[in-house]
Every structure is written in structure tokens, then in C-alpha cells.
Amino acid sequence: MKISSLTDIGVQREMNQDYFYTSEEAVGPLPNLFMVADGMGGHKAGEFASRSAIEWIVRSIQSALGNDPEKILDEAINEASTRILKYARSHSEMKGMGTTVVAATLLDDELLVANVGDSRLYVLDQTLHQISQDHSLVQEMVRLGEMDPETAKHHPDKNIITRAVGVTETVSVDFFRIDRESIRSVLLCSDGLTNMVEDAEIEHLLKDDSLSVSRKVKQLVSQANAAGGRDNITVVLIENDPNSEVSESC
């Protein structure tokens, strides 16, 4: 694997409420772990929610028993949701905070993905595919046939999410399993990237074999900022390279 990650405040925000985590080494029973979280809330609440969610998820996984990775992730994400809500109830300035979480672990034969909210995971094989499903108001309307995908891309309510970690004590986590054999790259990102850069542009850049994995990550962030940088931008990129175990950091 070749891995690179980067978070950026963007052009228009005063605080970075995104947070990410990467580990090529085992975390508890999981062989590796990659996560992106995008917090929401008032002053410092979103920052606290995203960072705390990832920290609590990691701690939960580190102490987990059993060997079912989906159950381990589900219990860890739900524990984080309970803890964040409990903290918000005892700190009025944190009321209403929450965070998205998209997480992935590469197992022997497959990629396991967990998702809450609208941070995304993409897989590149011959083309780019969005694996996670946005838990957002407009995407629910698209799934119900009440809005077409093109309108959804530019809808003013596109960032209203319908599911988040920390808003309720328990949260429904979506899981996806993808065969690893054909995967060239795995991309985890916050919506600060996908709201600014079209999927076709992301695909074109990820397919550029002349660029290192760290250069691709930096260019994705640069493109998002060049397009307006309206939100924080976080990118974690994993390239499947069976001949290399070197990771790169930005």
C-alpha cells in the first residue's frame, strides 16, 4: 500500500472541523484502519465532535473482543455517538454537535467500509465509483425519485445531513464490502472536496500514474481551494501497490 493524507482549512472557513486517522498497522483486531470525520456544531463544537469521535472509535477498537470486523466497527461508532451526546448534554455550548464518519479497513480479500453522514469513500478500478451513500436530505430525495442527481449536486440544501454520529445515542451505520482484487485506489474524503471538485476530475487525477500518491492528494486539495474552498477539505488516499509497503505523508 501507498498512503497519503492531508487536511486543509479551505479558503472561507476560520476553523478546521475535519479530522482523519490512518494506520497501516493493526488496530485491535482490525489489520489496518482509515477514517475521515467532518464535524458540525457551533464554536469549536464541530472540531471537538470529529476529533473525539475518531479518538473514541480507535480506543473502542483497540479494546474490542471477537473477530467480526463489521460488528467491531459498528459497536465502536455507536459508542462514540453515545459519548459525544453525553458530553453535549453536560456542556450547553456543545449542544447539537455531531460528525460524519467514513471508515475503512482492508481485509485479506475485501475492503470493508462503514459510513454515517455525507463524507465519502470512492474506489478506483477502471473507473471511479462512489461506494458510500450520502445520508443527506437531497440524496434521500434522489433515492425516492423526487429529485434528479444533477439537480441534487447544486441544491441549496445539499449539506443537510439526515444521519450523524453524536446526535443520537445510537446510530445506524451503513456497511459495504468490495472485492479487493480489482481495486487500484481507495479515496476517503470530506464534502469539502466533493462539493468543489467533480467526480470526473477526481478520477482523471487518480489515474495519472506520473504523480506520486502524495502529489495526488495535494493536487486534490489545491483544486478544491481553487474552485472556492468553501469548506474544510480532507483527503486520505490509498493506492494498491503489491510491490510496496511504503506510505507517504504530506
Side-chain angles (χ1 to χ4, degrees):
M1 284 187 291
K2 290 183 177 180
I3 302 163
S4 187
S5 48
L6 181 63
T7 188
D8 188 270
I9 196 171
V11 175
Q12 299 186 26
R13 294 296 178 94
E14 297 180 353
M15 178 179 293
N16 193 342
Q17 296 187 329
D18 286 0
Y19 203 77
F20 71 89
Y21 175 89
T22 68
S23 176
E24 295 175 74
E25 305 301 323
V27 180
L30 301 184
N32 46 67
L33 183 61
F34 309 94
M35 292 188 285
V36 166
D38 180 358
M40 61 183 190
H43 182 62
K44 291 193 176 182
E47 178 190 33
F48 178 88
S50 60
R51 175 175 52 83
S52 298
I54 284 185
E55 290 175 352
W56 280 324
I57 289 167
V58 171
R59 288 178 197 157
S60 177
I61 292 171
Q62 286 171 336
S63 60
L65 302 176
N67 56 8
D68 181 342
E70 186 170 314
K71 182 180 179 183
I72 289 166
L73 277 167
D74 186 73
E75 290 179 349
I77 292 169
N78 270 280
E79 180 178 344
S81 193
T82 301
R83 286 178 174 270
I84 290 170
L85 182 60
K86 182 178 180 181
Y87 189 90
R89 284 172 173 168
S90 60
H91 296 77
S92 59
E93 72 277 12
M94 299 294 192
K95 184 178 179 181
M97 69 175 169
T99 183
T100 70
V101 172
V102 61
T105 182
L106 288 156
L107 307 174
D108 288 339
D109 300 318
E110 61 186 1
L111 170 71
L112 176 64
V113 181
N115 181 58
V116 177
D118 63 356
S119 293
R120 292 181 178 178
L121 183 141
Y122 292 85
V123 162
L124 177 70
D125 42 42
Q126 298 304 312
T127 57
L128 188 69
H129 308 277
Q130 181 183 338
I131 303 302
S132 60
Q133 293 186 3
D134 296 351
H135 300 138
S136 67
L137 180 63
V138 297
Q139 285 304 313
E140 293 292 343
M141 295 172 72
V142 169
R143 282 193 280 272
L144 292 171
E146 298 174 359
M147 184 182 297
D148 64 86
E150 193 59 34
T151 301
K153 286 182 182 179
H154 308 287
H155 197 280
D157 294 332
K158 65 179 295 183
N159 293 325
I160 298 177
I161 60 175
T162 56
R163 206 183 302 179
V165 174
V167 176
T168 53
E169 287 190 7
T170 61
V171 63
S172 177
V173 184
D174 283 354
F175 286 95
F176 310 88
R177 291 177 179 265
I178 311 299
D179 191 329
R180 280 189 65 175
E181 186 175 359
S182 62
I183 293 176
R184 291 172 56 183
S185 302
V186 179
L187 172 70
L188 296 86
C189 60
S190 61
D191 65 351
L193 175 69
T194 53
N195 284 341
M196 296 288 99
V197 184
E198 295 290 338
D199 286 6
E201 296 176 79
I202 295 172
E203 178 179 331
H204 178 75
L205 193 148
L206 294 187
K207 284 183 172 180
D208 189 344
D209 293 332
S210 70
L211 298 176
S212 69
V213 62
S214 60
R215 177 53 58 187
K216 290 176 183 178
V217 166
K218 289 175 182 177
Q219 287 199 199
L220 285 170
V221 171
S222 293
Q223 285 180 225
N225 279 326
R230 292 195 298 267
D231 201 351
N232 311 140
I233 309 146
T234 300
V235 177
V236 174
L237 180 60
I238 307 159
E239 290 191 341
N240 185 27
D241 183 354
N243 299 315
S244 175
E245 295 183 355
V246 178
S247 64
E248 304 178 23
S249 58
C250 295

